[in-house]
Amino acid sequence: MEISEHIQVVDTEGQLLALAAAEAGTGAKVPTCPDWQVRDLLRHTGMVHRWAAAFIAERRTSYRLGGELPELDGDALVEWFREGHAALVATLKATPPDVDCWAFLPAPSPLAFWARRQANETTVHRVDAESARGGSPSPMDVAFAVDGIEELLFGFHARERSRVRSDAPAVLRVRTTDPGEERTWTVRLSDEPPVTEHGTTAPADCEVSGSAARLYLALWNRLPFPQVTGDRALAALWRERSPIVMG
């Protein structure tokens, strides 16, 4: 996906998140994140938006912690979130493609990294907000879901800090089933970080499959895997050990 497409996702998904949070109320429970209420979701995502925008706008070239979470609540907290989200979108749109700043996953450029990362950050938490509100979730584009799966498999879980490890070598297949847009990844598990390859490069011990959107959310532990065949313990291992540590 192009940088401009990721920025559009950040813009749209943030607006949907704010709308769902306002409709749910800041005291509502978040079923997809059982330890959170909507106020926790807004404070976290609003802080991350400001944290990301600061790296870009201030050309920060080394890691810094995020800011403090606000004590705001109710309508004031929703408005605080909207302000930070709008500032992030404006910063992404105004930044030249050759900007030099810190990033923590491979990408064609720091701006490409931050646009993609915040598109996924905002989408996952939009899903959280809509789970608190209830009702039908907003749709997700197949191409974006595939791109997000790749960020997770080739980015986050290629890092040393990934906890998705197996005492015995095993192969997990991830397969999307959207008509005409099927994609397959082979994830080799061991006592080292997972190694992901495009396509069917080895026999699988377990396969998880479904639409790209459903698989995206399942890999982020927001939904159960749509379909599991083979050794279900590997699917359970993913759910147990895949929570992400940022930075």
Side-chain angles (χ1 to χ4, degrees):
M1 292 179 64
E2 299 295 328
I3 291 173
S4 61
E5 294 174 300
H6 281 127
I7 295 173
Q8 184 57 56
V9 172
V10 177
D11 193 357
T12 300
E13 294 289 325
Q15 293 184 50
L16 289 171
L17 192 164
L19 178 62
E23 291 175 345
T26 56
K29 294 286 188 181
V30 180
T32 49
C33 293
D35 294 336
W36 273 5
Q37 294 175 303
V38 169
R39 61 175 59 91
D40 303 304
L41 173 64
L42 289 171
R43 289 168 181 163
H44 166 79
T45 314
M47 180 275 291
V48 169
H49 284 171
R50 287 164 169 81
W51 176 75
F55 281 105
I56 305 165
E58 299 174 17
R59 310 304 197 252
R60 296 179 178 178
T61 57
S62 60
Y63 174 76
R64 296 189 195 180
L65 292 172
E68 294 183 2
L69 302 182
E71 295 296 330
L72 299 170
D73 204 350
D75 292 345
L77 179 58
V78 175
E79 182 57 29
W80 176 85
F81 170 84
R82 290 185 192 274
E83 290 171 357
H85 168 252
L88 170 63
V89 172
T91 298
L92 289 168
K93 287 182 176 179
T95 299
D98 61 351
V99 66
D100 182 24
C101 65
W102 180 81
F104 63 87
L105 294 178
S109 69
L111 183 61
F113 162 78
W114 282 111
R116 185 193 210 191
R117 176 81 291 278
Q118 291 310 301
N120 285 289
E121 176 83 12
T122 309
T123 297
V124 169
H125 290 315
R126 181 269 296 170
V127 171
D128 293 332
E130 291 184 344
S131 79
R133 179 197 63 194
S136 299
S138 300
M140 188 184 302
D141 179 72
V142 172
F144 173 73
V146 167
D147 184 74
I149 290 170
E150 296 221 326
E151 186 204 44
L152 197 58
L153 297 180
F154 289 101
F156 281 110
H157 289 295
R159 303 193 302 170
E160 279 293 331
R161 65 178 63 191
S162 174
R163 296 175 54 249
V164 181
R165 311 288 179 102
S166 173
D167 293 335
V171 174
L172 175 68
R173 180 100 66 241
V174 179
R175 181 170 61 88
T176 66
T177 58
D178 306 272
E181 301 190 60
E182 296 90 344
R183 297 287 295 273
T184 306
W185 299 269
T186 297
V187 185
R188 297 177 185 268
L189 304 177
S190 68
D191 59 359
E192 297 292 327
V195 175
T196 301
E197 302 160 345
H198 286 107
T200 305
T201 59
D205 299 292
C206 174
E207 178 177 285
V208 294
S209 60
S211 70
R214 287 291 303 273
L215 272 182
Y216 172 93
L217 293 174
L219 290 166
W220 275 106
N221 290 320
R222 263 49 185 192
L223 290 175
F225 285 114
Q227 184 172 347
V228 179
T229 56
D231 184 359
R232 301 182 71 88
L234 290 181
L237 180 147
W238 180 276
R239 297 194 67 81
E240 177 187 347
R241 301 187 183 180
S242 66
I244 295 299
V245 177
M246 296 294 181

